[in-house]
C-alpha cells in the first residue's frame, strides 16, 4: 500500500468520524434539551407547590380563593388585596408557563396539564357567574 493509498484511506476514515461526531453532538444536544425541559417542569412544580400547600392547610385562604369572585364586593380591603395578590401570582405562573412552552422549554404534555388547570379555573369562574371581578 502506497503513501497515496494511506492518505486516501485516512481521508475516508476522517469523513466517517466527522459524520459520527456530528451525530454524537446532535444526540448530546437532544439529551440536553430533554434535561432542560425536565428541569423547567420541576421548577414549575416547585413554584406552585407552596401555593397549593397553603390552600390545603389554610381553610380561610381556600375559602377566599374559591369564593372571592362570588362575594367580591362583600370582602374588606385586606381580603380584596389578598385575593388580588393570589390571583396575580397564579396568573403570572401561567404566563411563565405559556412563555416557556412558546420557547419550547417545556414539553407539550406538561403545557397541556397546566392549561387544563387554567381552563378549570376559568370554567369555574364562568359557571359561577363571577364576571364582576374583571370590571
Amino acid at each position: 500500500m502506497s503513501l497515496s493509498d494511506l492518505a486516501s484511506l485516512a481521508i475516508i476514515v476522517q469523513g466517517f468520524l466527522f459524520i459520527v461526531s456530528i451525530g454524537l453532538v446532535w444526540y448530546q444536544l437532544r439529551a440536553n434539551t430533554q434535561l432542560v425541559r425536565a428541569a423547567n417542569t420541576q421548577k414549575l412544580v416547585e413554584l406552585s407547590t407552596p401555593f397549593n400547600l397553603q390552600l390545603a392547610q389554610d381553610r380561610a385562604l381556600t375559602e377566599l380563593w374559591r369564593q372571592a369572585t362570588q362575594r367580591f364586593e362583600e370582602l374588606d380591603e385586606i381580603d380584596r388585596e389578598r385575593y388580588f395578590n393570589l390571583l396575580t401570582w397564579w396568573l403570572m405562573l401561567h404566563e411563565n408557563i405559556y412563555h416557556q412552552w412558546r420557547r419550547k422549554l417545556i414539553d407539550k404534555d406538561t403545557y397541556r396539564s397546566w392549561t387544563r388547570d387554567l381552563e378549570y379555573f376559568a370554567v369555574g369562574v364562568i359557571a359561577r357567574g363571577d364576571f364582576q371581578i374583571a370590571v
Side-chain angles (χ1 to χ4, degrees):
M1 198 176 259
S2 70
L3 190 56
S4 175
D5 292 338
L6 288 175
S8 295
L9 183 61
I11 290 172
I12 292 170
V13 169
Q14 185 180 21
F16 175 73
L17 290 176
F18 177 74
I19 291 170
V20 169
S21 67
I22 287 178
L24 289 173
V25 168
W26 176 79
Y27 175 77
Q28 288 176 338
L29 285 173
R30 197 167 152 224
N32 187 48
T33 300
Q34 290 173 342
L35 289 173
V36 167
R37 287 180 178 168
N40 286 345
T41 299
Q42 179 61 33
K43 190 63 176 174
L44 293 173
V45 170
E46 288 174 13
L47 288 171
S48 65
T49 296
F51 177 77
N52 290 324
L53 284 175
Q54 190 65 32
L55 287 176
Q57 294 171 349
D58 187 342
R59 183 177 184 87
L61 185 63
T62 302
E63 288 175 359
L64 177 66
W65 178 245
R66 291 188 46 91
Q67 299 174 3
T69 54
Q70 290 177 338
R71 53 184 182 87
F72 186 74
E73 296 302 324
E74 299 171 17
L75 297 176
D76 64 18
E77 186 178 332
I78 299 298
D79 279 345
R80 285 182 188 184
E81 186 66 28
R82 289 175 63 209
Y83 179 72
F84 273 123
N85 284 325
L86 285 172
L87 186 59
T88 300
W89 176 88
W90 190 75
L91 291 174
M92 285 174 34
L93 173 68
H94 281 279
E95 180 183 31
N96 182 338
I97 292 163
Y98 173 75
H99 287 298
Q100 286 193 41
W101 175 72
R102 293 280 297 187
R103 292 184 184 125
K104 300 182 191 258
L105 296 174
I106 57 174
D107 290 327
K108 190 175 184 178
D109 291 337
T110 300
Y111 176 71
R112 282 183 185 162
S113 69
W114 285 101
T115 301
R116 280 192 299 272
D117 180 51
L118 184 59
E119 289 170 352
Y120 174 78
F121 175 79
V123 167
V125 168
I126 291 169
R128 291 187 308 260
D130 303 334
F131 306 113
Q132 68 271 18
I133 196 154
V135 175

